């Protein structure tokens, strides 16, 4: 499977390169970044601290895609729409991990999925993907007198709160319960009694926490807690590479990370 990495000299681009080099079925055939990027012109393997791959980081995406099966994009929200269009034109499957995408980029993903298989995933960890589905199932199974509270923790530099993953967990809980997320979400509780049906969020920020998420269903006399702790950012790269392998060769269309893990739920 021939892989092109976009955002190649970034933190995730290099993490993906390291995982790809260890993955027998994958060969890196292209590495794309901006000409101003620190690693521009360098061999992607050497820059990632592994064996040289004979692939220099360049800026010509169309040329890189000409002999590729799958593209992984962890770049910038402003770049992703164009990258999706280029992959669709080249007939190359796409895994987008870039976050903060606007409506225009989501429309570009929809358009690309007419021609190639596409996954857009704000969290490519397989563990988080599983957790989201378990939360959906638990919210569906338990009556609504089980109060749903989501606690998340991240490092001190994180810009957004609650995290996108915490919100995705809340949305899955709301969907499982059959309620509209925006009507029940309480992103920051500062006082007063809890109202029935709320999905509450609490945020911890400090140190170097990579990412903790815990969803509690608190009933009368019992609690169910589902959680995930990330200790290494490589999980996002491993999940992305697994999803890319899964995508390549599929029929055109829009897929999700949950399709990549073989969990069969009916909710
Ligand atoms: P980074 O800043 O280290 O790397 C981004 C790279 O993209 C940089 O090298 C930059 O030069 C490059 N880039 C910017 N514009 C480009 C363009 N037009 N064409 C090609 N390359 C371009 O950031 P990062 O930590 O690697 O994160 C990248 C993205 O991935 C962010 O949106 C981040 O939120 C997201 N992310 C997603 C997950 C997930 O699980 N899906 C996990 C971690 C990060």
């Amino acid at each position: 499977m021939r892989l092109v990495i976009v955002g190649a000299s970034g933190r995730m681009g290099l993490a993906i390169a390291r995982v790809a080099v260890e993955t027998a079925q994958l060969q890196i055939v292209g590495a794309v970044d901006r000409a101003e990027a620190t690693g521009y012109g360098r061999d992607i393997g050497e820059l990632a601290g592994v064996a040289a791959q004979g692939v220099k980081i360049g800026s010509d995406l169309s040329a890189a895609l000409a002999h590729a099966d799958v593209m992984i994009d962890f770049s910038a929200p402003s770049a992703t729409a164009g990258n999706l269009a280029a992959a669709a034109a080249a007939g190359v499957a796409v895994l987008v991990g870039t976050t903060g995408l606007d409506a225009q980029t989501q429309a570009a993903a929809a358009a690309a999925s007419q021609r190639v298989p596409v996954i857009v995933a704000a969290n490519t960890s397989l563990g988080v993907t599983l957790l989201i589905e378990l939360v959906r199932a638990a919210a569906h199974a338990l009556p609504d007198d089980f109060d749903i509270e989501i606690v998340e923790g991240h490092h001190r530099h994180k810009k957004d709160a609650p995290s996108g993953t915490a919100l995705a967990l809340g949305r899955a809980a709301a969907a499982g319960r059959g309620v509209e997320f925006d009507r029940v979400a309480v992103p920051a509780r500062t006082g007063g009694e809890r109202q029935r049906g709320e999905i509450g969020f609490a945020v911890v920020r400090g140190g170097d926490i990579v990412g903790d998420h815990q969803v509690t269903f608190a009933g009368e006399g019992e609690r169910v807690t589902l959680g995930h702790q990330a200790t290494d950012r490589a999980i996002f790269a491993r999940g992305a590479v697994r999803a890319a392998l899964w995508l390549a060769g599929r029929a055109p269309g829009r897929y999700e990370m949950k399709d990549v893990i073989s969990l069969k739920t009916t909710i």
Side-chain angles (χ1 to χ4, degrees):
M1 209 78 78
R2 296 162 302 174
L3 170 68
V4 171
I5 303 172
V6 185
S9 86
R11 276 165 296 199
M12 284 303 300
L14 294 175
I16 285 158
R18 285 189 280 274
V19 175
V21 167
E22 286 170 9
T23 306
Q25 308 98 295
L26 268 184
Q27 183 195 359
I28 302 172
V29 297
V32 175
D33 210 305
R34 297 170 307 139
E36 310 82 63
T38 43
Y40 191 80
R42 302 255 324 260
D43 183 281
I44 175 92
E46 281 178 0
L47 193 65
V50 293
Q53 300 296 300
V55 177
K56 288 196 179 356
I57 299 177
S59 55
D60 190 343
L61 178 59
S62 298
L65 290 170
H67 303 287
D69 301 299
V70 62
M71 174 181 97
I72 298 181
D73 176 318
F74 280 75
S75 59
S78 56
T80 299
N83 299 340
L84 277 158
V92 171
V94 187
L95 182 279
V96 173
T98 309
T99 60
L101 304 180
D102 60 13
Q104 190 202 335
T105 308
Q106 294 291 354
S113 71
Q114 303 290 316
R115 301 184 64 175
V116 294
V118 176
I119 291 181
V120 178
N123 191 316
T124 51
S125 147
L126 298 178
V128 166
T129 301
L130 174 65
L131 178 63
I132 288 171
E133 296 315 307
L134 295 176
V135 165
R136 192 191 313 273
H140 183 72
L142 293 169
D144 71 358
D145 59 351
F146 277 75
D147 299 326
I148 302 176
E149 292 285 314
I150 300 174
V151 182
E152 61 102 333
H154 283 88
H155 52 90
R156 60 169 74 100
H157 301 296
K158 186 160 177 65
K159 295 194 176 65
D160 52 327
S163 69
T165 299
L167 295 171
L169 288 164
R171 288 185 193 284
R177 192 169 263 186
V179 295
E180 206 179 313
F181 176 72
D182 292 330
R183 295 177 67 102
V184 296
V186 181
R189 180 175 286 117
T190 52
E193 200 176 323
R194 188 185 208 287
Q195 301 299 309
R196 188 183 175 118
E198 285 179 358
I199 297 179
F201 292 84
V203 172
V204 176
R205 287 288 175 269
D208 61 354
I209 304 171
V210 174
D212 293 348
H213 293 89
Q214 187 173 296
V215 183
T216 297
F217 298 80
E220 290 285 341
E222 60 179 340
R223 290 196 295 278
V224 177
T225 300
L226 300 170
H228 178 270
Q229 286 83 39
T231 53
D232 184 348
R233 287 183 180 78
I235 60 171
F236 306 118
R238 282 193 219 108
V241 164
R242 192 179 173 112
L245 285 171
W246 183 91
L247 264 181
R250 297 220 169 238
R254 195 71 185 261
Y255 300 93
E256 296 178 53
M257 282 303 294
K258 72 175 177 190
D259 299 320
V260 177
I261 60 169
S262 42
L263 178 75
K264 302 282 174 271
T265 59
T266 52
I267 301 152

